[in-house]
Amino acid sequence: MPEFVIDVANLNIAVNCEYDFTYKFCRDYLTEAEPDFGISVSPESVDKEIDESPYNPSRPYAESICVYREIAEKLPFFDRCVFHGAVISYDGAGYIFTAPSGTGKTTHISLWQKYLDGVEIVNGDKPILHITDDSVTAFATPYAGKEGLQNHSKCELKGICLIEQAKENTIRRLETSECLMRIMVQMYKPYEAAAAVKTLELLDRLLKNVPVYLLGCDISQDAVRCSFEALTKLDFDERKKDSEN
Amino acid sequence: MKIKDGFVKCKIGEKYLVVTTGSLSAENNIMIELNETSSEIWELISKGFTAEEIAFKLADKYQIPVEKAKTDTDLLIENMKKAEIFEDE
């Protein structure tokens, strides 16, 4: 497979790998531009990915995971990181919903779409965040979860919402000291020490710029009201769709 | 007592976060949160000071009894041992 370049999170990245699976997987992101940096994946990395996976992936699929990992290793030097969470945009602002897999991120954002117009799913699983001193931008990537939900766009991040399943719908703002570990586990942690230090610095900047909330919720309309009003500061009843689907 | 290679520490807000990197992550992938004093003790340990020396430094800096500083230092070191942060010696 010849080298190809992808435009992800406003960076042009040259990819060297064996199979064409990743090339096809990244078809919405291909570019002719000169690369900012390049990555390559060795057969040994693919072997290791397969050995360590509980899912017995094919070699091409395993290689695509290795490609994103190699990219994620380098991103901190460009003030960016891979973040595990679902990003939606509403009224021009971006919000991330994050939780351990299976907790209900995708369910919750689909409820936002059910009850509100104008909700765009920017990335359903592993967006890239560009974290500067005074703003955070969330970017869609080809790595968008099993539903493949992404729209190749970006948004300015205005809130992060940790989700827990609960009997009642409640939400509260968390202080940095309450959530630094819970947010860190959702950020890609590089193998290389220098990149890991950069990632921690990005975490510090992220928490200075973006409020974090803890949402306990069920799967009702009230769950959307709860997170919507806390994150956007808008009135849910004024914004919700007139009739339910 | 020597802290294993592969830990990195960074200030996040008012606290410090320590994470493992490199091959240490495969062996012992942990994340630790430290407050200001614990972070200072961690730094002094990594510079090679003994528990007694650290206790005297803290007592002097914060104008607290040496016994209290020693108790705090010993407690952190005990927790660090349980978390397998030190190399076997």
Side-chain angles (χ1 to χ4, degrees):
Chain A
M1 176 72 224
E3 178 184 276
F4 58 94
V5 183
I6 55 175
D7 169 10
V8 179
N10 278 355
L11 284 175
N12 298 314
I13 305 167
V15 178
N16 279 283
C17 58
E18 185 178 339
Y19 304 98
D20 63 2
F21 178 92
T22 306
Y23 175 81
K24 291 177 186 167
F25 182 73
C26 295
R27 63 186 170 280
D28 293 344
Y29 293 78
L30 296 170
T31 178
E32 301 289 314
E34 280 299 303
D36 294 297
F37 69 91
I39 62 101
S40 61
V41 173
S42 66
E44 292 73 31
S45 308
V46 180
D47 292 337
K48 187 167 185 280
E49 178 65 32
I50 292 171
D51 284 341
E52 291 177 0
S53 170
Y55 304 113
N56 196 28
S58 66
R59 286 194 72 81
Y61 180 81
E63 188 186 68
S64 72
I65 303 298
C66 293
V67 165
Y68 206 35
R69 183 173 300 120
E70 291 298 325
I71 290 172
E73 281 286 323
K74 298 232 164 45
L75 287 178
F77 298 111
F78 296 88
D79 290 339
R80 290 158 170 83
C81 67
V82 171
F83 194 94
H84 176 229
V87 186
I88 59 172
S89 71
Y90 180 84
D91 246 15
Y95 306 100
I96 285 185
F97 292 90
T98 185
S101 295
T103 305
K105 297 187 289 297
T106 308
T107 303
H108 194 71
I109 65 175
S110 65
L111 288 174
W112 271 55
Q113 289 190 308
K114 179 178 175 182
Y115 293 112
L116 296 156
D117 285 317
V119 176
E120 297 282 332
I121 297 179
V122 174
N123 209 84
D125 188 42
K126 293 191 173 66
I128 288 174
L129 304 186
H130 181 197
I131 304 170
T132 67
D133 282 328
D134 45 32
S135 74
V136 181
T137 308
F139 287 87
T141 72
Y143 294 84
K146 55 184 184 297
E147 295 90 357
L149 298 165
Q150 57 91 9
N151 65 0
H152 201 355
S153 71
K154 63 181 181 182
C155 55
E156 192 174 348
L157 196 65
K158 293 295 189 186
I160 297 173
C161 192
L162 292 161
I163 296 180
E164 289 180 340
Q165 292 177 7
K167 291 203 172 68
E168 287 180 5
N169 295 300
T170 61
I171 191 164
R172 69 179 180 91
R173 173 103 186 250
L174 297 179
E175 299 292 323
T176 296
S177 59
E178 292 180 276
C179 64
L180 61 153
M181 284 175 84
R182 292 179 77 155
I183 299 296
M184 182 62 200
V185 297
Q186 305 298 354
M187 292 170 77
Y188 175 80
K189 187 185 69 164
Y191 184 87
E192 295 294 323
V197 171
K198 262 309 287 193
T199 303
L200 291 174
E201 289 170 4
L202 291 175
L203 171 63
D204 184 46
R205 247 190 251 164
L206 174 66
L207 296 179
K208 284 186 165 87
N209 280 299
V210 181
V212 179
Y213 299 87
L214 178 62
L215 171 71
C217 66
D218 58 20
I219 52 171
S220 68
Q221 183 184 156
D222 197 53
V224 178
R225 175 194 307 279
C226 196
S227 60
F228 178 83
E229 292 189 344
L231 287 166
T232 67
K233 313 293 184 230
L234 300 170
D235 187 282
F236 178 73
D237 288 320
E238 284 176 13
R239 293 292 181 126
K240 70 178 184 186
K241 288 182 189 175
D242 287 330
S243 58
E244 290 173 24
N245 294 330
Chain B
M1 49 190 179
K2 186 182 180 305
I3 295 173
K4 289 176 183 166
D5 284 332
F7 285 102
V8 295
K9 177 160 68 75
C10 184
K11 189 163 190 181
I12 316 283
E14 299 299 310
K15 297 227 177 135
Y16 292 79
L17 205 52
V18 176
V19 301
T20 53
T21 67
S23 54
L24 181 59
S25 291
E27 176 198 320
N28 188 13
N29 190 22
I30 55 176
M31 198 184 311
I32 305 154
E33 208 177 282
L34 300 173
N35 60 22
E36 194 68 52
T37 309
S38 299
S39 172
E40 255 186 273
I41 295 171
W42 181 289
E43 287 300 315
L44 290 169
I45 292 172
S46 56
K47 285 177 180 154
F49 291 99
T50 65
E52 289 73 25
E53 288 167 335
I54 292 170
F56 274 105
K57 281 183 176 292
L58 290 180
D60 186 46
K61 179 173 178 181
Y62 295 107
Q63 292 296 296
I64 57 173
V66 173
E67 297 75 29
K68 166 92 173 81
K70 188 76 174 38
T71 305
D72 291 348
T73 304
D74 286 345
L75 183 59
L76 179 65
I77 289 172
E78 194 53 41
N79 287 333
M80 286 168 78
K81 279 184 185 156
K82 283 184 190 156
E84 298 180 4
I85 288 171
F86 297 118
E87 282 181 7
D88 295 327
E89 288 175 46

